Amino acid sequence: QDFIARQEHFELRRKEHAVEEERRRKAEEDEFIHRAGKPKITSAAKLMVRTVVDLQAWEERKKRRQEATRASVEQERAADETFSPRIDERSRRLALQRESRIRSGVSVSGSSVFC
């Protein structure tokens, strides 16, 4: 008898907990929708009329700003890259020979790349 009563009580508490959890989740969801669903805008923004042309112009300005930022970052990165390896004359000649062989279609090992 006691075991069955405890099990029934446990099941009842589990259901109550599930209902309360669902209620809490729904309240959080409603609050999120309320906060994020309708952002407050100024009266000046309400009066603005934007056409497709305006939006395209805005998109172009945005792309130019992004490109300028990207170029600036690239320039900074290039300025930081000051590494220049020091190699002796023999190594320089070997590298030039290797480069000319690659350009002419001959592999580094001496056989043709195009066989």
Side-chain angles (χ1 to χ4, degrees):
Q1 268 313 25
D2 288 336
F3 175 75
I4 293 173
R6 283 194 312 266
Q7 289 300 319
E8 288 172 349
H9 178 71
F10 174 75
E11 185 63 25
L12 181 62
R13 288 189 64 214
R14 188 184 64 74
K15 287 179 182 178
E16 288 172 351
H17 179 71
V19 167
E20 185 59 35
E21 186 65 26
E22 179 64 24
R23 204 175 286 139
R24 186 188 60 75
R25 187 195 60 75
K26 179 75 170 133
E28 285 178 358
E29 184 179 301
D30 290 346
E31 181 182 342
F32 177 77
I33 290 171
H34 178 70
R35 280 188 290 141
K38 279 194 161 185
K40 292 183 180 179
I41 61 172
T42 64
S43 57
K46 287 180 184 177
L47 297 175
M48 290 179 89
V49 177
R50 294 187 180 129
T51 64
V52 172
V53 174
D54 295 331
L55 293 174
Q56 288 172 338
W58 174 80
E59 182 69 26
E60 285 300 315
R61 288 191 309 271
K62 182 174 119 179
K63 284 181 183 178
R64 283 194 301 267
R65 277 192 316 270
Q66 289 174 336
E67 194 56 43
T69 301
R70 191 175 296 119
S72 173
V73 168
E74 187 59 37
Q75 285 177 347
E76 288 177 21
R77 185 178 296 136
D80 289 342
E81 295 173 355
T82 58
F83 175 73
S84 178
R86 288 188 219 149
I87 58 174
D88 63 6
E89 189 56 38
R90 181 175 184 272
S91 297
R92 186 182 314 278
R93 274 188 280 125
L94 289 172
L96 289 172
Q97 288 173 359
R98 182 174 191 262
E99 188 177 313
S100 71
R101 273 189 258 142
I102 289 172
R103 286 187 182 156
S104 67
V106 177
S107 75
V108 177
S109 63
S111 62
S112 175
V113 175
F114 302 110
C115 291

